[in-house]
Amino acid sequence: MRKVDSSSLALLSAAALALPAFGATQPTERTLAVSTSVYQEDDLERSRLAFGDVERFKVKTNQFYVSAPMGRDWSGSVRYDNEAMSGASPWGTSVSADGQTDVIMSGASIDDSRNGLDVSLTRYFDQSSFSVSLGYSGEDDYHSRSVGMTFERDFFNRNTTLALSGSYSTDEITPTDAALYGRVPYKEKRSRSFYAGLTQLISPVAVLNVGLGLTSRRGFLSDPYKLRDVRPKQRLEKTVTASYRHYLDWRQTSLRFDYRYFWDSFDVRSQTLSASFMQNPRSDIAWGPTVRYYAQSEASFYRPFDQYALPVTQAQSSDFRLSSYGAWSYGIKARYQMGAIEFNGSLERYESDEGLGLDESVSAHPALVRFNVVSLGLEFKF
Amino acid sequence: MFRAITIMLIMLVIGGCQAVEPWERDRLSRKDMQLIADPLEAQRTEQIFFSKEASSGGSAAAGGGCGCN
């Protein structure tokens, strides 16, 4: 079983979310939002199972978010989320008699929960804003604490906005059944992250955002629940991003495009492109399709099979997430506005395939995921 | 190289765009035109992809790691 630590990520996302999209201006409305969703992975093919259970992860998530202006120059936001996780996860890989890669899974008895809390406070000035965010995420065997800061500055009559942000997080890992399975009893890791972004209004119906990101992780970056997983103790990640929004008056439709190029010191490279189209056939209804393409190369120490003959200090991992693969995801979103309350829902399907990876001539990893996500929510502005 | 491309793109856009006055921003203020239209959806999807892919980051400063299943 491996744990979810994304509180730092979530915290700093929340810091960004609390800020107005265009310009460092104070929000004028209070927002209350709740959402519930179910994430369900497809079962592993039984013919590729070496050991364990084929039933993979299911996560039920409840989210709560509130934000409000405070006085003339401040705003605050709080986000709480709870996840209930169950199912089996990959422990490693082995070679079958016919030479194919099989997956060693855990039992399906994993049953855990995570609670996350993020609090953000923003101070507004004439042409700028400054935010501070604190976050915590806790599970039985994973605790993460983080702090983040974001500065935004408007230029050219709020046609251009520069955003600078940084974050720091500490994570504590205490794997369950460490003595029973010979896992590490306690490890730590620390992450520092920086981001610079520029948002530019292009016309009354178009806006562009570009950004550069840098993240440094140090400490225990391996998966303590895998049978043999040894990763470097440092990782440096870089991103270049671009987002474009365009409104089509004649179709009453908004077009959303997002692109990210990622590369890191594990030799992983990836490209992500997503697009969505939200149309408004009536003033109270909006709906449209979403599509996302993702492709990555494999890490320099990725191996299709766990190799126990190698020294335990030599980096290796058979984690499918470090292999060369790609994925398409597609779905639909809809919203219905009833007075001050908005009801929303979405369906999404994600299918990964080694043939979409950035590296050529790679062998298929049988643990690549396919999953569905269904969500329902409502938002109240007052 | 990417830094140079990004800087060129920024210069191109800033040079080619028109000044948008405050009273012209009604469509830009629509929910679906925001960089992050739905905070909860953004957090949820980011966490899923953070858990299932080797890449992360790109929206503000992304800090923590992940040991996700």
Side-chain angles (χ1 to χ4, degrees):
Chain A
M1 178 171 61
R2 298 173 65 202
K3 294 299 171 179
V4 177
D5 157 38
S6 54
S7 72
S8 308
L9 176 72
L11 164 70
L12 290 156
S13 297
L17 302 178
L19 295 171
F22 313 127
T25 53
Q26 185 187 34
T28 57
E29 294 177 302
R30 286 167 284 188
T31 300
L32 175 65
V34 295
S35 177
T36 186
S37 64
V38 176
Y39 164 96
Q40 175 73 67
E41 294 177 1
D42 292 3
D43 288 353
L44 185 77
E45 273 184 57
R46 192 166 291 278
S47 63
R48 309 305 296 272
L49 179 69
F51 174 83
D53 204 296
V54 295
E55 186 180 333
R56 299 187 71 174
F57 246 52
K58 180 177 185 177
V59 183
K60 296 178 182 176
T61 304
N62 295 309
Q63 298 170 286
F64 172 86
Y65 174 77
V66 60
S67 69
M70 300 188 301
R72 288 179 50 195
D73 301 316
W74 295 82
S75 73
S77 69
V78 176
R79 201 197 67 242
Y80 167 77
D81 58 292
N82 169 266
E83 292 180 344
M85 299 161 275
S86 60
S89 65
W91 272 356
T93 57
S94 64
V95 187
S96 65
D98 57 0
Q100 72 172 7
T101 307
D102 287 342
V103 183
I104 303 168
M105 298 284 288
S106 68
S109 58
I110 295 173
D111 196 357
D112 197 6
S113 65
R114 185 184 74 85
N115 290 290
L117 180 67
D118 302 300
V119 180
S120 176
L121 189 64
T122 303
R123 171 74 159 92
Y124 299 91
F125 303 93
D126 281 348
Q127 299 286 327
S128 61
S129 67
F130 183 75
S131 296
V132 175
S133 302
L134 297 173
Y136 170 77
S137 176
E139 301 168 68
D140 278 350
D141 59 355
Y142 212 115
H143 298 273
S144 179
R145 297 166 185 83
S146 55
V147 58
M149 290 179 285
T150 299
F151 172 74
E152 285 202 341
R153 175 75 163 87
D154 292 327
F155 299 95
F156 311 126
N157 196 23
R158 298 189 189 278
N159 276 253
T160 305
T161 302
L162 172 70
L164 302 171
S165 62
S167 72
Y168 178 74
S169 71
T170 61
D171 303 343
E172 297 175 350
I173 307 151
T174 52
T176 56
D177 298 325
L180 179 64
Y181 291 103
R183 298 166 178 156
V184 293
Y186 176 84
K187 287 289 181 181
E188 292 180 343
K189 66 178 175 184
R190 290 178 167 75
S191 303
R192 295 174 179 81
S193 190
F194 304 95
Y195 171 82
L198 197 66
T199 302
Q200 176 65 44
L201 305 187
I202 296 173
S203 77
V205 293
V207 59
L208 177 72
N209 169 270
V210 293
L212 297 169
L214 182 68
T215 298
S216 169
R217 306 183 197 277
R218 290 172 183 265
F220 187 73
L221 306 181
S222 305
D223 184 335
Y225 291 100
K226 294 207 182 298
L227 300 174
R228 180 61 66 93
D229 191 271
V230 182
R231 307 185 190 190
K233 291 183 170 54
Q234 295 183 23
R235 185 178 187 185
L236 186 63
E237 305 167 2
K238 301 170 187 174
T239 57
V240 173
T241 54
S243 298
Y244 180 71
R245 308 285 181 263
H246 195 106
Y247 191 77
L248 300 175
D249 280 324
W250 62 281
R251 290 279 301 177
Q252 295 190 319
T253 297
S254 60
L255 311 178
R256 303 170 57 84
F257 300 97
D258 295 281
Y259 174 78
R260 179 186 69 192
Y261 185 79
F262 170 100
W263 70 108
D264 71 4
S265 58
F266 285 4
D267 280 350
V268 174
R269 293 170 288 112
S270 76
Q271 304 205 56
T272 310
L273 180 63
S274 60
S276 66
F277 311 91
M278 289 295 280
Q279 47 197 322
N280 298 264
R282 285 177 13 194
S283 61
D284 57 348
I285 292 177
W287 72 277
T290 63
V291 63
R292 178 180 184 270
Y293 165 76
Y294 174 79
Q296 71 172 51
S297 63
E298 69 180 29
S300 57
F301 52 88
Y302 170 77
R303 295 176 183 276
F305 313 110
D306 294 325
Q307 298 187 9
Y308 297 95
L310 293 176
V312 292
T313 54
Q314 183 169 337
Q316 67 162 308
S317 175
S318 65
D319 190 333
F320 72 90
R321 292 168 295 190
L322 296 174
S323 68
S324 175
Y325 75 96
W328 282 101
S329 56
Y330 43 87
I332 188 168
K333 291 195 289 190
R335 294 201 311 266
Y336 174 65
Q337 192 78 35
M338 193 170 67
I341 300 177
E342 174 200 283
F343 299 89
N344 55 65
S346 66
L347 301 170
E348 185 174 13
R349 173 71 177 167
Y350 179 98
E351 297 189 340
S352 53
D353 189 308
E354 72 281 356
L356 296 172
L358 295 181
D359 292 331
E360 295 180 358
S361 304
V362 295
S363 56
H365 196 302
L368 288 176
V369 287
R370 297 182 171 205
F371 60 78
N372 298 314
V373 183
V374 181
S375 72
L376 291 172
L378 63 84
E379 182 180 285
F380 177 46
K381 287 188 180 294
F382 56 106
Chain B
M1 181 185 73
F2 292 104
R3 206 166 292 177
I5 292 172
T6 304
I7 291 171
M8 287 173 59
L9 185 63
I10 292 170
M11 298 305 291
L12 187 68
V13 167
I14 291 177
C17 61
Q18 69 180 85
V20 181
E21 301 298 339
W23 55 87
E24 295 179 308
R25 300 182 185 181
D26 56 324
R27 285 155 294 182
L28 293 171
S29 67
R30 298 177 69 94
K31 181 174 183 175
D32 293 321
M33 291 292 286
Q34 306 309 302
L35 294 177
I36 297 174
D38 183 336
L40 294 185
E41 179 200 39
Q43 190 268 337
R44 183 175 61 242
T45 55
E46 194 163 9
Q47 178 152 325
I48 290 172
F49 296 133
F50 186 56
S51 304
K52 299 301 168 188
E53 297 171 345
S55 314
S56 63
S59 61
C66 179
C68 318
N69 274 311

